[in-house]
Amino acid sequence: MTAAAAPAPTRVRPWASVFAVMFFSTWAGNQFSPLLLLYQERQHYSTTAVNGFLGVYVLGLVPAFLLSGALSDRYGRRPLMFAGVLAAVATSAALAFGEAGPLVICLGRFLAGVAVGTATCVGTSWLKELSQPPYDLRVDPGAGARRAALSFSLGSATGAVVAGLIAQWGPGPSSCRSPSTSSSRCRSRGSCCAHPRRA
């Protein structure tokens, strides 16, 4: 008898999809900060209003931190992470129309907090689960935490840098809030369903 052939390894590891979704979600949530001075300078918002935009972000962030982890334990990581991705898409859309007024900006900021809070809590837990056997056999115990930290840091930094570059040197910067993020986020939505579900 011949020995059964070993299954071919998959090209994309399960944790990589969650890494990408977390990256783009944190990008969407942190692309706003470089635009604060732009809003104040070109749309003539007061310092109080600009600080209020930051405060609305916290109103979305804190409930997401408190609730998303527990809800993902109960209903699974995938539905909650998908909700976070939808919040990230809505964030980009709202901030793209920020010239419509402060209420639209506040809505975008609130959704940004929801997206970042969900990505941080649910994404970190899911990355840790997928960075251990049986999903990843060649990894040390701290790999999940490192991957989550790297995804969050890269997403946050990239969002801020890209938005700042567009605001500083892009054509019509006040109307170019987040062109790349929306398309990237739409592509990443499919990634939520491309890896094993939490048991």
mmCIF file with all atom_site columns, all heavy atoms in Angstrom, residues 9-31:
data_model
loop_
_atom_site.group_PDB
_atom_site.id
_atom_site.type_symbol
_atom_site.label_atom_id
_atom_site.label_alt_id
_atom_site.label_comp_id
_atom_site.label_asym_id
_atom_site.label_entity_id
_atom_site.label_seq_id
_atom_site.pdbx_PDB_ins_code
_atom_site.Cartn_x
_atom_site.Cartn_y
_atom_site.Cartn_z
_atom_site.occupancy
_atom_site.B_iso_or_equiv
_atom_site.pdbx_formal_charge
_atom_site.auth_seq_id
_atom_site.auth_comp_id
_atom_site.auth_asym_id
_atom_site.auth_atom_id
_atom_site.pdbx_PDB_model_num
ATOM 1   N N   . PRO A 1 9  ? -0.344  22.542 1.591  1.00 0.00 ? 9  PRO A N   1
ATOM 2   C CA  . PRO A 1 9  ? -0.566  23.694 2.453  1.00 0.00 ? 9  PRO A CA  1
ATOM 3   C C   . PRO A 1 9  ? -1.251  24.831 1.710  1.00 0.00 ? 9  PRO A C   1
ATOM 4   O O   . PRO A 1 9  ? -1.037  25.028 0.519  1.00 0.00 ? 9  PRO A O   1
ATOM 5   C CB  . PRO A 1 9  ? 0.859   24.091 2.864  1.00 0.00 ? 9  PRO A CB  1
ATOM 6   C CG  . PRO A 1 9  ? 1.730   23.581 1.769  1.00 0.00 ? 9  PRO A CG  1
ATOM 7   C CD  . PRO A 1 9  ? 1.077   22.311 1.296  1.00 0.00 ? 9  PRO A CD  1
ATOM 8   N N   . THR A 1 10 ? -2.103  25.540 2.396  1.00 0.00 ? 10 THR A N   1
ATOM 9   C CA  . THR A 1 10 ? -2.779  26.671 1.781  1.00 0.00 ? 10 THR A CA  1
ATOM 10  C C   . THR A 1 10 ? -1.812  27.829 1.608  1.00 0.00 ? 10 THR A C   1
ATOM 11  O O   . THR A 1 10 ? -0.912  28.026 2.407  1.00 0.00 ? 10 THR A O   1
ATOM 12  C CB  . THR A 1 10 ? -3.960  27.126 2.648  1.00 0.00 ? 10 THR A CB  1
ATOM 13  O OG1 . THR A 1 10 ? -3.460  27.455 3.953  1.00 0.00 ? 10 THR A OG1 1
ATOM 14  C CG2 . THR A 1 10 ? -4.993  26.026 2.775  1.00 0.00 ? 10 THR A CG2 1
ATOM 15  N N   . ARG A 1 11 ? -2.017  28.606 0.541  1.00 0.00 ? 11 ARG A N   1
ATOM 16  C CA  . ARG A 1 11 ? -1.122  29.712 0.252  1.00 0.00 ? 11 ARG A CA  1
ATOM 17  C C   . ARG A 1 11 ? -1.311  30.861 1.249  1.00 0.00 ? 11 ARG A C   1
ATOM 18  O O   . ARG A 1 11 ? -0.359  31.507 1.641  1.00 0.00 ? 11 ARG A O   1
ATOM 19  C CB  . ARG A 1 11 ? -1.353  30.209 -1.177 1.00 0.00 ? 11 ARG A CB  1
ATOM 20  C CG  . ARG A 1 11 ? -0.898  29.209 -2.237 1.00 0.00 ? 11 ARG A CG  1
ATOM 21  C CD  . ARG A 1 11 ? -1.065  29.799 -3.626 1.00 0.00 ? 11 ARG A CD  1
ATOM 22  N NE  . ARG A 1 11 ? -0.564  28.888 -4.648 1.00 0.00 ? 11 ARG A NE  1
ATOM 23  C CZ  . ARG A 1 11 ? 0.692   28.854 -5.074 1.00 0.00 ? 11 ARG A CZ  1
ATOM 24  N NH1 . ARG A 1 11 ? 1.565   29.664 -4.536 1.00 0.00 ? 11 ARG A NH1 1
ATOM 25  N NH2 . ARG A 1 11 ? 1.063   28.007 -5.987 1.00 0.00 ? 11 ARG A NH2 1
ATOM 26  N N   . VAL A 1 12 ? -2.564  31.153 1.606  1.00 0.00 ? 12 VAL A N   1
ATOM 27  C CA  . VAL A 1 12 ? -2.858  32.231 2.535  1.00 0.00 ? 12 VAL A CA  1
ATOM 28  C C   . VAL A 1 12 ? -3.225  31.632 3.880  1.00 0.00 ? 12 VAL A C   1
ATOM 29  O O   . VAL A 1 12 ? -4.162  30.864 3.989  1.00 0.00 ? 12 VAL A O   1
ATOM 30  C CB  . VAL A 1 12 ? -4.013  33.114 2.010  1.00 0.00 ? 12 VAL A CB  1
ATOM 31  C CG1 . VAL A 1 12 ? -4.314  34.229 3.008  1.00 0.00 ? 12 VAL A CG1 1
ATOM 32  C CG2 . VAL A 1 12 ? -3.656  33.692 0.649  1.00 0.00 ? 12 VAL A CG2 1
ATOM 33  N N   . ARG A 1 13 ? -2.468  31.970 4.896  1.00 0.00 ? 13 ARG A N   1
ATOM 34  C CA  . ARG A 1 13 ? -2.766  31.450 6.225  1.00 0.00 ? 13 ARG A CA  1
ATOM 35  C C   . ARG A 1 13 ? -3.990  32.151 6.802  1.00 0.00 ? 13 ARG A C   1
ATOM 36  O O   . ARG A 1 13 ? -4.232  33.325 6.512  1.00 0.00 ? 13 ARG A O   1
ATOM 37  C CB  . ARG A 1 13 ? -1.557  31.646 7.124  1.00 0.00 ? 13 ARG A CB  1
ATOM 38  C CG  . ARG A 1 13 ? -0.349  30.833 6.659  1.00 0.00 ? 13 ARG A CG  1
ATOM 39  C CD  . ARG A 1 13 ? 0.816   30.977 7.600  1.00 0.00 ? 13 ARG A CD  1
ATOM 40  N NE  . ARG A 1 13 ? 1.940   30.168 7.155  1.00 0.00 ? 13 ARG A NE  1
ATOM 41  C CZ  . ARG A 1 13 ? 3.100   30.095 7.798  1.00 0.00 ? 13 ARG A CZ  1
ATOM 42  N NH1 . ARG A 1 13 ? 3.280   30.792 8.913  1.00 0.00 ? 13 ARG A NH1 1
ATOM 43  N NH2 . ARG A 1 13 ? 4.075   29.334 7.335  1.00 0.00 ? 13 ARG A NH2 1
ATOM 44  N N   . PRO A 1 14 ? -4.764  31.449 7.626  1.00 0.00 ? 14 PRO A N   1
ATOM 45  C CA  . PRO A 1 14 ? -6.006  32.036 8.136  1.00 0.00 ? 14 PRO A CA  1
ATOM 46  C C   . PRO A 1 14 ? -5.814  33.375 8.829  1.00 0.00 ? 14 PRO A C   1
ATOM 47  O O   . PRO A 1 14 ? -6.638  34.278 8.681  1.00 0.00 ? 14 PRO A O   1
ATOM 48  C CB  . PRO A 1 14 ? -6.512  30.966 9.106  1.00 0.00 ? 14 PRO A CB  1
ATOM 49  C CG  . PRO A 1 14 ? -5.949  29.683 8.586  1.00 0.00 ? 14 PRO A CG  1
ATOM 50  C CD  . PRO A 1 14 ? -4.606  30.042 8.028  1.00 0.00 ? 14 PRO A CD  1
ATOM 51  N N   . TRP A 1 15 ? -4.738  33.543 9.593  1.00 0.00 ? 15 TRP A N   1
ATOM 52  C CA  . TRP A 1 15 ? -4.559  34.775 10.332 1.00 0.00 ? 15 TRP A CA  1
ATOM 53  C C   . TRP A 1 15 ? -4.310  35.970 9.428  1.00 0.00 ? 15 TRP A C   1
ATOM 54  O O   . TRP A 1 15 ? -4.573  37.118 9.815  1.00 0.00 ? 15 TRP A O   1
ATOM 55  C CB  . TRP A 1 15 ? -3.403  34.649 11.337 1.00 0.00 ? 15 TRP A CB  1
ATOM 56  C CG  . TRP A 1 15 ? -2.054  34.423 10.727 1.00 0.00 ? 15 TRP A CG  1
ATOM 57  C CD1 . TRP A 1 15 ? -1.435  33.221 10.520 1.00 0.00 ? 15 TRP A CD1 1
ATOM 58  C CD2 . TRP A 1 15 ? -1.148  35.429 10.228 1.00 0.00 ? 15 TRP A CD2 1
ATOM 59  N NE1 . TRP A 1 15 ? -0.206  33.413 9.926  1.00 0.00 ? 15 TRP A NE1 1
ATOM 60  C CE2 . TRP A 1 15 ? -0.001  34.756 9.748  1.00 0.00 ? 15 TRP A CE2 1
ATOM 61  C CE3 . TRP A 1 15 ? -1.201  36.818 10.156 1.00 0.00 ? 15 TRP A CE3 1
ATOM 62  C CZ2 . TRP A 1 15 ? 1.072   35.432 9.185  1.00 0.00 ? 15 TRP A CZ2 1
ATOM 63  C CZ3 . TRP A 1 15 ? -0.115  37.496 9.595  1.00 0.00 ? 15 TRP A CZ3 1
ATOM 64  C CH2 . TRP A 1 15 ? 0.995   36.794 9.130  1.00 0.00 ? 15 TRP A CH2 1
ATOM 65  N N   . ALA A 1 16 ? -3.819  35.732 8.212  1.00 0.00 ? 16 ALA A N   1
ATOM 66  C CA  . ALA A 1 16 ? -3.480  36.841 7.319  1.00 0.00 ? 16 ALA A CA  1
ATOM 67  C C   . ALA A 1 16 ? -4.718  37.630 6.917  1.00 0.00 ? 16 ALA A C   1
ATOM 68  O O   . ALA A 1 16 ? -4.658  38.862 6.752  1.00 0.00 ? 16 ALA A O   1
ATOM 69  C CB  . ALA A 1 16 ? -2.763  36.309 6.085  1.00 0.00 ? 16 ALA A CB  1
ATOM 70  N N   . SER A 1 17 ? -5.854  36.957 6.747  1.00 0.00 ? 17 SER A N   1
ATOM 71  C CA  . SER A 1 17 ? -7.080  37.661 6.370  1.00 0.00 ? 17 SER A CA  1
ATOM 72  C C   . SER A 1 17 ? -7.532  38.587 7.485  1.00 0.00 ? 17 SER A C   1
ATOM 73  O O   . SER A 1 17 ? -7.935  39.731 7.241  1.00 0.00 ? 17 SER A O   1
ATOM 74  C CB  . SER A 1 17 ? -8.187  36.652 6.041  1.00 0.00 ? 17 SER A CB  1
ATOM 75  O OG  . SER A 1 17 ? -7.831  35.861 4.939  1.00 0.00 ? 17 SER A OG  1
ATOM 76  N N   . VAL A 1 18 ? -7.489  38.105 8.716  1.00 0.00 ? 18 VAL A N   1
ATOM 77  C CA  . VAL A 1 18 ? -7.875  38.936 9.850  1.00 0.00 ? 18 VAL A CA  1
ATOM 78  C C   . VAL A 1 18 ? -6.899  40.094 10.010 1.00 0.00 ? 18 VAL A C   1
ATOM 79  O O   . VAL A 1 18 ? -7.295  41.225 10.338 1.00 0.00 ? 18 VAL A O   1
ATOM 80  C CB  . VAL A 1 18 ? -7.943  38.088 11.132 1.00 0.00 ? 18 VAL A CB  1
ATOM 81  C CG1 . VAL A 1 18 ? -8.352  38.943 12.324 1.00 0.00 ? 18 VAL A CG1 1
ATOM 82  C CG2 . VAL A 1 18 ? -8.931  36.944 10.959 1.00 0.00 ? 18 VAL A CG2 1
ATOM 83  N N   . PHE A 1 19 ? -5.626  39.837 9.793  1.00 0.00 ? 19 PHE A N   1
ATOM 84  C CA  . PHE A 1 19 ? -4.606  40.888 9.840  1.00 0.00 ? 19 PHE A CA  1
ATOM 85  C C   . PHE A 1 19 ? -4.955  42.009 8.870  1.00 0.00 ? 19 PHE A C   1
ATOM 86  O O   . PHE A 1 19 ? -4.886  43.200 9.206  1.00 0.00 ? 19 PHE A O   1
ATOM 87  C CB  . PHE A 1 19 ? -3.244  40.280 9.505  1.00 0.00 ? 19 PHE A CB  1
ATOM 88  C CG  . PHE A 1 19 ? -2.088  41.227 9.628  1.00 0.00 ? 19 PHE A CG  1
ATOM 89  C CD1 . PHE A 1 19 ? -1.283  41.219 10.761 1.00 0.00 ? 19 PHE A CD1 1
ATOM 90  C CD2 . PHE A 1 19 ? -1.787  42.120 8.602  1.00 0.00 ? 19 PHE A CD2 1
ATOM 91  C CE1 . PHE A 1 19 ? -0.204  42.097 10.872 1.00 0.00 ? 19 PHE A CE1 1
ATOM 92  C CE2 . PHE A 1 19 ? -0.708  42.994 8.708  1.00 0.00 ? 19 PHE A CE2 1
ATOM 93  C CZ  . PHE A 1 19 ? 0.081   42.977 9.848  1.00 0.00 ? 19 PHE A CZ  1
ATOM 94  N N   . ALA A 1 20 ? -5.341  41.642 7.640  1.00 0.00 ? 20 ALA A N   1
ATOM 95  C CA  . ALA A 1 20 ? -5.663  42.641 6.620  1.00 0.00 ? 20 ALA A CA  1
ATOM 96  C C   . ALA A 1 20 ? -6.905  43.438 6.986  1.00 0.00 ? 20 ALA A C   1
ATOM 97  O O   . ALA A 1 20 ? -6.941  44.661 6.839  1.00 0.00 ? 20 ALA A O   1
ATOM 98  C CB  . ALA A 1 20 ? -5.853  41.950 5.267  1.00 0.00 ? 20 ALA A CB  1
ATOM 99  N N   . VAL A 1 21 ? -7.946  42.740 7.475  1.00 0.00 ? 21 VAL A N   1
ATOM 100 C CA  . VAL A 1 21 ? -9.178  43.435 7.846  1.00 0.00 ? 21 VAL A CA  1
ATOM 101 C C   . VAL A 1 21 ? -8.925  44.402 8.998  1.00 0.00 ? 21 VAL A C   1
ATOM 102 O O   . VAL A 1 21 ? -9.409  45.537 9.011  1.00 0.00 ? 21 VAL A O   1
ATOM 103 C CB  . VAL A 1 21 ? -10.275 42.419 8.218  1.00 0.00 ? 21 VAL A CB  1
ATOM 104 C CG1 . VAL A 1 21 ? -11.497 43.131 8.782  1.00 0.00 ? 21 VAL A CG1 1
ATOM 105 C CG2 . VAL A 1 21 ? -10.664 41.600 6.998  1.00 0.00 ? 21 VAL A CG2 1
ATOM 106 N N   . MET A 1 22 ? -8.148  43.966 9.968  1.00 0.00 ? 22 MET A N   1
ATOM 107 C CA  . MET A 1 22 ? -7.816  44.832 11.098 1.00 0.00 ? 22 MET A CA  1
ATOM 108 C C   . MET A 1 22 ? -7.000  46.033 10.635 1.00 0.00 ? 22 MET A C   1
ATOM 109 O O   . MET A 1 22 ? -7.198  47.163 11.110 1.00 0.00 ? 22 MET A O   1
ATOM 110 C CB  . MET A 1 22 ? -7.044  44.024 12.143 1.00 0.00 ? 22 MET A CB  1
ATOM 111 C CG  . MET A 1 22 ? -6.821  44.723 13.453 1.00 0.00 ? 22 MET A CG  1
ATOM 112 S SD  . MET A 1 22 ? -6.068  43.600 14.665 1.00 0.00 ? 22 MET A SD  1
ATOM 113 C CE  . MET A 1 22 ? -5.774  44.758 16.013 1.00 0.00 ? 22 MET A CE  1
ATOM 114 N N   . PHE A 1 23 ? -6.088  45.816 9.699  1.00 0.00 ? 23 PHE A N   1
ATOM 115 C CA  . PHE A 1 23 ? -5.268  46.899 9.152  1.00 0.00 ? 23 PHE A CA  1
ATOM 116 C C   . PHE A 1 23 ? -6.143  47.974 8.511  1.00 0.00 ? 23 PHE A C   1
ATOM 117 O O   . PHE A 1 23 ? -6.014  49.166 8.799  1.00 0.00 ? 23 PHE A O   1
ATOM 118 C CB  . PHE A 1 23 ? -4.285  46.319 8.132  1.00 0.00 ? 23 PHE A CB  1
ATOM 119 C CG  . PHE A 1 23 ? -3.542  47.354 7.325  1.00 0.00 ? 23 PHE A CG  1
ATOM 120 C CD1 . PHE A 1 23 ? -2.387  47.936 7.824  1.00 0.00 ? 23 PHE A CD1 1
ATOM 121 C CD2 . PHE A 1 23 ? -4.002  47.741 6.076  1.00 0.00 ? 23 PHE A CD2 1
ATOM 122 C CE1 . PHE A 1 23 ? -1.690  48.885 7.089  1.00 0.00 ? 23 PHE A CE1 1
ATOM 123 C CE2 . PHE A 1 23 ? -3.318  48.692 5.337  1.00 0.00 ? 23 PHE A CE2 1
ATOM 124 C CZ  . PHE A 1 23 ? -2.164  49.264 5.841  1.00 0.00 ? 23 PHE A CZ  1
ATOM 125 N N   . PHE A 1 24 ? -7.044  47.575 7.625  1.00 0.00 ? 24 PHE A N   1
ATOM 126 C CA  . PHE A 1 24 ? -7.866  48.549 6.922  1.00 0.00 ? 24 PHE A CA  1
ATOM 127 C C   . PHE A 1 24 ? -8.885  49.225 7.836  1.00 0.00 ? 24 PHE A C   1
ATOM 128 O O   . PHE A 1 24 ? -9.221  50.392 7.646  1.00 0.00 ? 24 PHE A O   1
ATOM 129 C CB  . PHE A 1 24 ? -8.568  47.882 5.731  1.00 0.00 ? 24 PHE A CB  1
ATOM 130 C CG  . PHE A 1 24 ? -7.645  47.550 4.596  1.00 0.00 ? 24 PHE A CG  1
ATOM 131 C CD1 . PHE A 1 24 ? -7.476  46.244 4.188  1.00 0.00 ? 24 PHE A CD1 1
ATOM 132 C CD2 . PHE A 1 24 ? -6.924  48.538 3.956  1.00 0.00 ? 24 PHE A CD2 1
ATOM 133 C CE1 . PHE A 1 24 ? -6.614  45.933 3.144  1.00 0.00 ? 24 PHE A CE1 1
ATOM 134 C CE2 . PHE A 1 24 ? -6.055  48.238 2.914  1.00 0.00 ? 24 PHE A CE2 1
ATOM 135 C CZ  . PHE A 1 24 ? -5.899  46.936 2.501  1.00 0.00 ? 24 PHE A CZ  1
ATOM 136 N N   . SER A 1 25 ? -9.377  48.508 8.845  1.00 0.00 ? 25 SER A N   1
ATOM 137 C CA  . SER A 1 25 ? -10.320 49.114 9.782  1.00 0.00 ? 25 SER A CA  1
ATOM 138 C C   . SER A 1 25 ? -9.647  50.194 10.630 1.00 0.00 ? 25 SER A C   1
ATOM 139 O O   . SER A 1 25 ? -10.216 51.267 10.855 1.00 0.00 ? 25 SER A O   1
ATOM 140 C CB  . SER A 1 25 ? -10.931 48.035 10.692 1.00 0.00 ? 25 SER A CB  1
ATOM 141 O OG  . SER A 1 25 ? -11.709 47.131 9.943  1.00 0.00 ? 25 SER A OG  1
ATOM 142 N N   . THR A 1 26 ? -8.443  49.910 11.095 1.00 0.00 ? 26 THR A N   1
ATOM 143 C CA  . THR A 1 26 ? -7.734  50.927 11.876 1.00 0.00 ? 26 THR A CA  1
ATOM 144 C C   . THR A 1 26 ? -7.262  52.074 10.981 1.00 0.00 ? 26 THR A C   1
ATOM 145 O O   . THR A 1 26 ? -7.173  53.217 11.444 1.00 0.00 ? 26 THR A O   1
ATOM 146 C CB  . THR A 1 26 ? -6.544  50.305 12.620 1.00 0.00 ? 26 THR A CB  1
ATOM 147 O OG1 . THR A 1 26 ? -5.704  49.577 11.698 1.00 0.00 ? 26 THR A OG1 1
ATOM 148 C CG2 . THR A 1 26 ? -7.018  49.347 13.696 1.00 0.00 ? 26 THR A CG2 1
ATOM 149 N N   . TRP A 1 27 ? -6.986  51.789 9.722  1.00 0.00 ? 27 TRP A N   1
ATOM 150 C CA  . TRP A 1 27 ? -6.683  52.863 8.760  1.00 0.00 ? 27 TRP A CA  1
ATOM 151 C C   . TRP A 1 27 ? -7.869  53.825 8.710  1.00 0.00 ? 27 TRP A C   1
ATOM 152 O O   . TRP A 1 27 ? -7.696  55.051 8.831  1.00 0.00 ? 27 TRP A O   1
ATOM 153 C CB  . TRP A 1 27 ? -6.412  52.241 7.400  1.00 0.00 ? 27 TRP A CB  1
ATOM 154 C CG  . TRP A 1 27 ? -6.198  53.203 6.256  1.00 0.00 ? 27 TRP A CG  1
ATOM 155 C CD1 . TRP A 1 27 ? -6.635  54.497 6.138  1.00 0.00 ? 27 TRP A CD1 1
ATOM 156 C CD2 . TRP A 1 27 ? -5.469  52.935 5.051  1.00 0.00 ? 27 TRP A CD2 1
ATOM 157 N NE1 . TRP A 1 27 ? -6.255  55.044 4.956  1.00 0.00 ? 27 TRP A NE1 1
ATOM 158 C CE2 . TRP A 1 27 ? -5.534  54.107 4.262  1.00 0.00 ? 27 TRP A CE2 1
ATOM 159 C CE3 . TRP A 1 27 ? -4.795  51.809 4.580  1.00 0.00 ? 27 TRP A CE3 1
ATOM 160 C CZ2 . TRP A 1 27 ? -4.934  54.181 3.004  1.00 0.00 ? 27 TRP A CZ2 1
ATOM 161 C CZ3 . TRP A 1 27 ? -4.199  51.891 3.332  1.00 0.00 ? 27 TRP A CZ3 1
ATOM 162 C CH2 . TRP A 1 27 ? -4.265  53.058 2.553  1.00 0.00 ? 27 TRP A CH2 1
ATOM 163 N N   . ALA A 1 28 ? -9.065  53.294 8.510  1.00 0.00 ? 28 ALA A N   1
ATOM 164 C CA  . ALA A 1 28 ? -10.248 54.149 8.398  1.00 0.00 ? 28 ALA A CA  1
ATOM 165 C C   . ALA A 1 28 ? -10.470 54.968 9.657  1.00 0.00 ? 28 ALA A C   1
ATOM 166 O O   . ALA A 1 28 ? -10.848 56.138 9.595  1.00 0.00 ? 28 ALA A O   1
ATOM 167 C CB  . ALA A 1 28 ? -11.487 53.285 8.114  1.00 0.00 ? 28 ALA A CB  1
ATOM 168 N N   . GLY A 1 29 ? -10.226 54.368 10.807 1.00 0.00 ? 29 GLY A N   1
ATOM 169 C CA  . GLY A 1 29 ? -10.499 55.063 12.054 1.00 0.00 ? 29 GLY A CA  1
ATOM 170 C C   . GLY A 1 29 ? -9.498  56.142 12.394 1.00 0.00 ? 29 GLY A C   1
ATOM 171 O O   . GLY A 1 29 ? -9.816  57.056 13.170 1.00 0.00 ? 29 GLY A O   1
ATOM 172 N N   . ASN A 1 30 ? -8.300  56.075 11.834 1.00 0.00 ? 30 ASN A N   1
ATOM 173 C CA  . ASN A 1 30 ? -7.245  57.018 12.215 1.00 0.00 ? 30 ASN A CA  1
ATOM 174 C C   . ASN A 1 30 ? -6.815  57.943 11.090 1.00 0.00 ? 30 ASN A C   1
ATOM 175 O O   . ASN A 1 30 ? -5.836  58.673 11.231 1.00 0.00 ? 30 ASN A O   1
ATOM 176 C CB  . ASN A 1 30 ? -6.030  56.240 12.726 1.00 0.00 ? 30 ASN A CB  1
ATOM 177 C CG  . ASN A 1 30 ? -6.288  55.594 14.063 1.00 0.00 ? 30 ASN A CG  1
ATOM 178 O OD1 . ASN A 1 30 ? -6.250  56.226 15.106 1.00 0.00 ? 30 ASN A OD1 1
ATOM 179 N ND2 . ASN A 1 30 ? -6.590  54.293 14.042 1.00 0.00 ? 30 ASN A ND2 1
ATOM 180 N N   . GLN A 1 31 ? -7.564  57.950 9.980  1.00 0.00 ? 31 GLN A N   1
ATOM 181 C CA  . GLN A 1 31 ? -7.199  58.827 8.881  1.00 0.00 ? 31 GLN A CA  1
ATOM 182 C C   . GLN A 1 31 ? -7.695  60.258 9.107  1.00 0.00 ? 31 GLN A C   1
ATOM 183 O O   . GLN A 1 31 ? -7.368  61.166 8.349  1.00 0.00 ? 31 GLN A O   1
ATOM 184 C CB  . GLN A 1 31 ? -7.798  58.297 7.582  1.00 0.00 ? 31 GLN A CB  1
ATOM 185 C CG  . GLN A 1 31 ? -9.316  58.308 7.570  1.00 0.00 ? 31 GLN A CG  1
ATOM 186 C CD  . GLN A 1 31 ? -9.885  57.613 6.361  1.00 0.00 ? 31 GLN A CD  1
ATOM 187 O OE1 . GLN A 1 31 ? -9.180  57.377 5.390  1.00 0.00 ? 31 GLN A OE1 1
ATOM 188 N NE2 . GLN A 1 31 ? -11.148 57.270 6.403  1.00 0.00 ? 31 GLN A NE2 1
#
